[in-house]
Amino acid sequence: MATNVPETDSEHKYVEGEAAQEKEADRIVKDDRVELQDSDAWDKLGYSFPTWRKWQILCVVFLIQISMNLNASMYANAVDGISENFGVTKQVARIPQMTFLVAYAFGCELWAPWSEEYGRWPIQQLSLFLVNIWQIPCALSKHYGTYVICRFLGGLSTAGGSVTLGVLADMWEPDDQEYAVAFLVLSSVGGSVVGAIIGGFVQEYKSLPWIFWTQLLVGGGVQLVHLALNPETRATILLDREAKRRRKTGEDPNIYGPNEIRGRKLSPKEFWTIFYRPFYMFFTEPIVLWLSLLSGFSDALIFTFLQSFTPVYKQWGFGTVGVSLAFIPLLVGYILAYLSYLPSIHHFRKIRRRDPDRLKPEVRLWWLLFLAPFEAIGLFGFAWTSLGPSYGIPWIATMIFSCMVGIANYAIYQSSIDYMTAAYGPYAASATGGNDLARDFLAGIAALYSTPMYTYIPGRPLEYASTILACISVVVTIPIYVFYRKGPGIRAKSKFAQSIDQTREKSRVKRKSVSGPAGRNAEHIERV
């Protein structure tokens, strides 16, 4: 803590003076209206919420992520029913799952700019409402085309990781958010597995419409919980409210919030810049590209498993419910991976608090170096234990290896999000947006190729298909080790990363000055 506080009164006054000048230079003053900045009302922002309140909000966001990903995966249990009821092939019946996931990939980026302008709370409420509405036509559908259209609209209506990670960023700064990121990632990867498990029971004991009624019940319940328990967290919205309060009470009649003084209107150019940047970073930043592809490939594996588990476990006589329960080892793998991250997070946080500049962002990849190989090991093992009972192999063997895949899948998403947040600072939302784009888009494509892949490869399709995926996983995990060693040099060539040190130093100086004791208390709150 002491490393960031001036050691003498003269140094302290100098820092305060410099920061005050910079702060005033950034402040907008129009006529007699003065902009209220975050440093003027730090105690009103999400960063200053009590710890219990932050985690309560995050738990609700956790449920939202579970609901979103349940919608993505549970449709797989409707494929047989749709194929039978509407006389289409199972491959055609999977198209609505693909359209949902691909639309989801772009929907995340479409919703993000509006959450910056109008706040996280109304955007999440509107998104949940629309997603829930689109479940109703699917449940009542008499035509196959309804599923294609409404699933597409449902995916486009889903404000996914770009907004939920925004809520997290509203309450924790990058150096303090690792525990929260690890927790939220668990919901993101776990939701798909929860959907697969619940979906098996619904498919076995209920009619086709109940696949969608169940999604509606879960989504509606989550929306009500969010409506009742979660407040707004977006800083600009909270500053607007605080400015209005001060004017109403006469405390400061000339103070106005950022949106009040700047205007809330998002110009087409600004919207395009925000929407375009994740795609630009995805294709021009090697770190974003490779980590996003790795994360997307890993997530696509889960949707491949949604199709492959049925033929694999039928060899041991598993029915619909048995196949759905076979996903539990993946969930166990996620939980084990989450727990394994906690000691390393604690260790590196202690170092960072003693010396904030000692650790480079690449340290966020350290634990992934050990867990990433589980993806290839798990896939190779799953492939050749899929030979089945005729070779004397017990079903538990395949589940042990699928658990390893779950461990690696969680680790890849957790470390890539955490690393890009640390490496790209103010551009982290765009960097992680590329990650979400790759995950959902590749998962959508996987919904179409996975069944043919596990059916039509000559020879041993079950074994060869997983072996091909294992070989690909070896290739896509190699960049992790390259970035761990060469990351600083790669980032030094990035125009996005070059501005980060300056931005962080500017923020640090502002935080020290603020307005007397309030600012120093805010600094203390975040570091305790």
Side-chain angles (χ1 to χ4, degrees):
M1 186 187 303
T3 55
N4 284 319
V5 180
E7 297 180 358
T8 67
D9 288 341
S10 60
E11 287 175 332
H12 181 71
K13 291 176 181 177
Y14 174 77
V15 169
E16 281 194 338
E18 288 290 304
Q21 292 175 16
E22 192 160 351
K23 175 184 170 189
E24 290 304 320
D26 291 341
R27 188 189 300 275
I28 292 179
V29 178
K30 288 185 178 180
D31 300 325
D32 60 344
R33 298 186 301 166
V34 180
E35 180 190 11
L36 181 70
Q37 296 187 326
D38 56 359
S39 54
D40 302 319
W42 190 263
D43 61 321
K44 305 297 182 182
L45 304 184
Y47 301 109
S48 297
F49 287 174
T51 300
W52 71 266
R53 182 60 159 154
K54 290 183 180 183
W55 280 95
Q56 175 263 299
I57 294 169
L58 198 65
C59 284
V60 175
V61 174
F62 185 100
L63 294 177
I64 292 174
Q65 283 291 117
I66 291 286
S67 172
M68 290 175 180
N69 288 283
L70 179 145
N71 290 338
S73 63
M74 197 171 171
Y75 178 86
N77 296 99
V79 168
D80 289 346
I82 290 174
S83 177
E84 293 172 7
N85 290 0
F86 298 98
V88 298
T89 65
K90 290 184 180 180
Q91 191 67 358
V92 171
R94 292 185 184 94
I95 291 176
Q97 185 176 22
M98 183 269 290
T99 59
F100 179 92
L101 288 165
V102 172
Y104 187 178
F106 291 93
C108 289
E109 308 311 321
L110 285 170
W111 285 97
W114 303 113
S115 77
E116 302 290 334
E117 286 294 306
Y118 295 100
R120 316 295 187 191
W121 191 90
I123 290 301
Q124 287 191 310
Q125 274 291 306
L126 179 60
S127 171
L128 288 166
F129 174 75
L130 290 175
V131 171
N132 291 334
I133 287 295
W134 296 124
Q135 305 291 1
I136 298 174
C138 290
L140 301 175
S141 176
K142 301 297 182 183
H143 303 281
Y144 166 74
T146 303
Y147 297 109
V148 178
I149 296 171
C150 292
R151 290 289 291 176
F152 175 82
L153 293 174
L156 207 60
S157 300
T158 304
S162 296
V163 178
T164 53
L165 284 171
V167 174
L168 185 152
D170 291 338
M171 299 186 292
W172 284 278
E173 293 187 285
D175 285 345
D176 298 308
Q177 66 183 209
E178 291 158 296
Y179 285 118
V181 169
F183 182 69
L184 199 56
V185 166
L186 183 61
S187 68
S188 185
V189 296
S192 300
V193 175
V194 170
I197 294 171
I198 295 175
F201 286 89
V202 177
Q203 181 183 357
E204 180 70 12
Y205 298 111
K206 293 291 184 179
S207 59
L208 174 62
W210 274 98
I211 295 289
F212 304 100
W213 290 131
T214 301
Q215 293 178 47
L216 177 59
L217 288 172
V218 173
V222 169
Q223 183 176 1
L224 289 175
V225 170
H226 178 265
L227 177 70
L229 297 181
N230 271 24
E232 180 58 65
T233 58
R234 174 68 178 161
T236 53
I237 305 299
L238 297 180
L239 289 172
D240 286 345
R241 293 176 182 175
E242 174 62 11
K244 291 175 182 177
R245 186 196 67 79
R246 293 186 184 187
R247 293 199 305 273
K248 184 176 181 180
T249 61
E251 181 180 339
D252 194 339
N254 296 324
I255 201 74
Y256 287 80
N259 289 321
E260 292 180 300
I261 202 166
R262 295 171 187 260
R264 187 178 294 234
K265 186 177 180 181
L266 191 66
S267 70
K269 183 178 179 181
E270 290 171 330
F271 180 85
W272 172 248
T273 299
I274 296 172
F275 178 69
Y276 166 76
R277 188 182 293 139
F279 301 95
Y280 181 81
M281 293 187 71
F282 181 81
F283 289 108
T284 62
E285 293 289 316
I287 291 174
V288 176
L289 175 63
W290 279 103
L291 287 181
S292 296
L293 288 177
L294 171 61
S295 188
F297 169 77
S298 188
D299 197 48
L301 286 178
I302 305 307
F303 287 88
T304 302
F305 276 175
L306 286 171
Q307 311 302 333
S308 68
F309 270 31
T310 297
V312 167
Y313 287 106
K314 273 187 176 179
Q315 298 177 105
W316 285 278
F318 283 36
T320 301
V321 172
V323 171
S324 70
L325 293 176
F327 282 88
I328 291 177
L330 279 169
L331 193 58
V332 171
Y334 293 153
I335 296 171
L336 290 175
Y338 166 70
L339 295 175
S340 77
Y341 265 88
L342 302 184
S344 65
I345 291 174
H346 178 72
H347 173 69
F348 290 126
R349 276 168 66 96
K350 285 176 63 178
I351 295 175
R352 199 155 36 241
R353 288 181 176 184
R354 288 196 301 267
D355 184 356
D357 300 318
R358 179 180 170 185
L359 299 177
K360 296 184 182 299
E362 284 67 32
V363 75
R364 314 270 180 136
L365 298 175
W366 175 78
W367 189 230
L368 179 59
L369 301 178
F370 301 96
L371 297 187
F374 280 118
E375 184 143 273
I377 294 170
L379 284 169
F380 278 120
F382 182 83
W384 295 101
T385 53
S386 296
L387 287 166
S390 58
Y391 285 81
I393 299 173
W395 53 262
I396 192 67
T398 57
M399 294 186 182
I400 291 172
F401 287 109
S402 67
C403 180
M404 291 184 182
V405 173
I407 290 172
N409 187 26
Y410 174 90
I412 288 166
Y413 194 26
Q414 152 66 17
S415 290
S416 61
I417 290 291
D418 198 23
Y419 174 53
M420 285 192 280
T421 298
Y424 286 96
Y427 303 104
S430 296
T432 56
N435 193 298
D436 288 334
L437 173 71
R439 288 177 68 85
D440 298 318
F441 186 84
L442 293 178
I445 301 302
L448 291 185
Y449 71 68
S450 54
T451 295
M453 185 176 182
Y454 276 88
T455 305
Y456 299 118
I457 293 178
R460 298 182 181 276
L462 298 181
E463 291 76 22
Y464 292 162
S466 294
T467 300
I468 291 171
L469 294 175
C471 293
I472 296 173
S473 73
V474 173
V475 175
V476 297
T477 53
I478 290 174
I480 295 171
Y481 303 90
V482 176
F483 294 144
Y484 184 73
R485 297 293 181 186
K486 305 293 185 180
I490 296 172
R491 286 187 291 107
K493 299 176 183 178
S494 165
K495 73 174 186 178
F496 290 101
Q498 285 172 354
S499 67
I500 292 173
D501 290 339
Q502 180 181 356
T503 302
R504 284 177 178 162
E505 182 60 28
K506 176 181 176 182
S507 177
R508 186 182 303 167
V509 171
K510 273 189 176 185
R511 289 283 305 282
K512 285 178 185 176
S513 73
V514 220
S515 40
R520 290 189 288 277
N521 286 339
E523 179 77 14
H524 176 72
I525 288 170
E526 284 301 307
R527 295 195 174 279
V528 169

